Amino acid sequence: MPVVRARDLSFAYPEGPAVLEGVDLDVQAGEFVGIAGPNGGGKTTLIRLVVGLEQPTGGELEVFGGPPPQATGANRIGYLPQRAEIGLSAPITVREVVESGRVSVAGIFGALSTEDEAAVDEAIERVGLSEKAGERLTRLSGGQRQRAFIAKALAGGPKLLVLDEPTTGVDADAQERLAELLDELRAQLGVTILYVSHEFGAIEPYAERLVVVRSGIVFDGAPSALPDVWHDPSHVHP
Amino acid sequence: MSILDSDFMRLAFATGAIVGVLAPAVGFFLVQRQMSLIGDGIGHLAFAGVALGYLLGISPVATALVASVAGAIGIEQLRSVRRAAGDQALALFLYVGLALGVVLLSAADSLNASVFAFLFGSILTVTTGDLILVATLGIASVAAVLALYRGLVAVAIDEEAARVSGVPVATLNVALAALAGITIGVSIRIVGILLIAALMVLPVMTASLVARSLRAALGLSMAIGAASVTAGLVLAYYLNLAPGGAIVLVAAAFYVAVSVAQALSGRRAHA
């Protein structure tokens, strides 16, 4: 059973033009899929549909064999939106960010159990921030902040990790290290990864599959098979 | 004569201590979610509640409490349904609350100086009944904030990510709105409708300057809130001032003092 299965999927805002049309997509467990395309092409909409934040206006979409809102419990989704909502002036530590990702497992009441604390420690360690766990997020570089938010997503033990433009504002080195980290996580945890980016150069060595979205899917295959002219997604033409 | 020899000051200090802890505890999560001004919207609805109390001849505090909680939940519902229009939802409730309050007070023939006690607080008007109401609801609300702390933080950090991972976001949002409504309802006697939002925000801003973690900031916010209310009430007593204004100015002074101290220590470190 694929983790994500879409058939003739479409989406449009009320009284607006179609953002996505006729999308067919299967994502298998353990795949690292890069989703690219021009701004406004529908790539963010596609993953918002997958995580259940938007509802399709046509076609079928299943995540873990059911409609996206059912993707909880044993089939958790770790989701990193483009930008976290909490203000950067908030005095929040790396550990507090990661602990918040455990709420989906631990529940909203009371203190974290020893098991939950261990899961938080492990997630922080996996992203290489153990020594920074007690530091305020504001003291970290952009790349380290993104690692903290990946650890937050990992703390809930997700089967599917969905990242929307995680490297916006992060330098090229940090982008590459992030892609390398995600590849390691996939190998170690078997987690399926959907990685949205309009600059997919950094993930090309690691993503085994690239999906280019421009209203529909205009390319789906190995990154090496992508025609040279399409390497700049803003010039993609269906 | 000691300040505590008067019954009304003992009642004011006891009520004020609870309000001083509760307001920043709830305001803390509103600030983190960049919804600092929602307290103003709810405060104006509380004003309509006070006016309704005058018109019906029942306790204005009770009607203000009901109006605050109902209004806070209404603002949250409107915000969640029309996500892009949070500020518009707030503006709608703010202006309607103010207009409704003025109209109802006119209808009750009560648009006079007695309303000032509700707008800016009054030491003299706190009754034993008020204290019992504030203590019951205030302590229960602080307990609720602490019990829901983890969930409220998860939603503050990222509402959509929390929703995707299965956190009951809608329930937590309604709970936070209801807590904000209760806070404003129980704070009317001491701080007043027009200034309570400041007590929910200023101590949090001050604590965020120096705290090393979110938990520490929450604890420090509550301590600064209690200290601001206590010092403000003392000033109001000796200088014959409206307590709401004195309390908020003390809270603002804390913020200015900490900001200046930080700036000076930073300059020294770079010298």
Side-chain angles (χ1 to χ4, degrees):
Chain A
M1 180 184 70
V3 172
V4 177
R5 179 182 174 277
R7 291 291 177 273
D8 198 22
L9 184 69
S10 62
F11 178 83
Y13 290 102
E15 297 172 28
V19 179
L20 284 174
E21 279 181 309
V23 171
D24 293 328
L25 180 70
D26 283 322
V27 177
Q28 303 300 331
E31 273 192 300
F32 186 155
V33 180
I35 299 177
N39 290 330
K43 54 190 187 300
T44 290
T45 301
L46 176 59
I47 62 162
R48 286 179 67 81
L49 288 165
V50 167
V51 300
L53 289 172
E54 304 288 356
Q55 298 304 310
T57 48
E60 295 172 28
L61 176 63
E62 289 182 353
V63 180
F64 296 113
Q70 288 184 1
T72 56
N75 292 324
R76 290 197 173 80
I77 298 176
Y79 174 55
L80 269 80
Q82 287 185 21
R83 189 175 299 162
E85 289 174 13
I86 197 161
L88 273 180
S89 61
I92 192 165
T93 65
V94 170
R95 187 174 179 81
E96 286 175 324
V97 168
V98 181
E99 280 177 353
S100 76
R102 191 64 184 174
V103 174
S104 57
V105 179
I108 57 175
F109 295 109
L112 290 179
S113 68
T114 312
E115 184 188 342
D116 295 323
E117 295 279 4
V120 169
D121 287 335
E122 186 184 327
I124 294 172
E125 196 178 330
R126 280 194 189 281
V127 300
L129 287 178
S130 295
E131 290 179 5
K132 305 269 184 191
E135 287 202 21
R136 277 176 70 150
L137 209 57
T138 46
R139 292 175 180 269
L140 270 57
S141 67
Q144 287 172 325
R145 273 183 217 143
Q146 283 300 1
R147 284 171 176 259
F149 279 95
I150 287 172
K152 169 181 176 280
L154 291 177
K159 294 282 175 61
L160 172 62
L161 200 53
V162 180
L163 306 96
D164 189 1
E165 304 272 9
T167 54
T168 302
V170 174
D171 64 47
D173 278 356
Q175 285 183 32
E176 196 164 331
R177 286 199 299 276
L178 189 66
E180 199 178 325
L181 168 69
L182 291 170
D183 192 46
E184 283 169 22
L185 294 173
R186 181 183 59 143
Q188 291 166 5
L189 304 173
V191 64
T192 308
I193 296 173
L194 296 183
Y195 184 115
V196 169
S197 178
H198 66 281
E199 293 172 31
F200 50 85
I203 58 166
E204 244 185 291
Y206 305 102
E208 57 204 351
R209 188 174 157 202
L210 188 64
V211 172
V212 180
V213 180
R214 181 166 179 165
S215 294
I217 292 178
V218 294
F219 176 84
D220 185 349
S224 57
L226 190 71
D228 284 345
V229 69
W230 284 8
H231 270 78
D232 178 354
S234 63
H235 295 137
V236 168
H237 297 284
Chain B
M1 183 176 152
S2 158
I3 192 172
L4 290 173
D5 286 345
S6 322
D7 279 346
F8 69 88
M9 278 312 293
R10 284 199 293 271
L11 284 171
F13 276 122
T15 310
I18 296 164
V19 168
V21 170
L22 174 62
V26 174
F28 181 78
F29 296 98
L30 299 178
V31 171
Q32 306 312 334
R33 298 184 63 181
Q34 295 161 47
M35 294 163 64
S36 300
L37 293 179
I38 199 169
D40 274 325
I42 303 170
H44 284 71
L45 289 165
F47 178 60
V50 167
L52 189 63
Y54 273 108
L55 188 67
L56 299 177
I58 55 178
S59 163
V61 172
T63 48
L65 191 56
V66 171
S68 301
V69 174
I73 293 172
I75 292 172
E76 169 53 31
Q77 291 300 317
L78 205 56
R79 188 193 68 87
S80 64
V81 171
R82 299 179 62 193
R83 280 168 290 179
D87 62 330
Q88 292 170 31
L90 185 58
L92 176 71
F93 278 81
L94 193 151
Y95 298 129
V96 168
L98 186 59
L100 193 59
V102 171
V103 166
L104 291 176
L105 281 173
S106 303
D109 205 18
S110 300
L111 199 54
N112 51 46
S114 65
V115 177
F116 278 86
F118 290 99
L119 294 179
F120 305 110
S122 171
I123 300 172
L124 295 169
T125 55
V126 181
T127 65
T128 307
D130 289 336
L131 174 59
I132 292 169
L133 180 71
V134 171
T136 306
L137 290 176
I139 292 168
S141 298
V142 171
V145 167
L146 298 178
L148 297 173
Y149 173 81
R150 213 166 53 206
L152 292 172
V153 168
V155 178
I157 291 174
D158 202 316
E159 182 170 340
E160 289 195 333
R163 197 185 298 278
V164 167
S165 67
V167 175
V169 171
T171 305
L172 286 163
N173 282 345
V174 170
L176 182 60
L179 286 167
I182 290 170
T183 302
I184 286 161
V186 301
S187 303
I188 286 174
R189 287 292 198 201
I190 292 290
V191 191
I193 290 164
L194 293 184
L195 290 169
I196 177 57
L199 190 62
M200 297 174 82
V201 171
L202 290 175
V204 180
M205 288 167 59
T206 309
S208 298
L209 290 175
V210 291
R212 293 190 171 194
S213 69
L214 220 48
R215 277 189 192 86
L218 177 60
L220 194 54
S221 300
M222 293 193 284
I224 294 170
S228 301
V229 172
T230 306
L233 286 175
V234 171
L235 285 174
Y237 176 82
Y238 285 113
L239 302 176
N240 195 25
L241 304 171
I247 289 166
V248 170
L249 286 178
V250 170
F254 273 121
Y255 180 78
V256 172
V258 171
S259 298
V260 170
Q262 272 196 332
L264 291 177
S265 67
R267 199 176 293 169
R268 239 177 265 133
H270 285 99

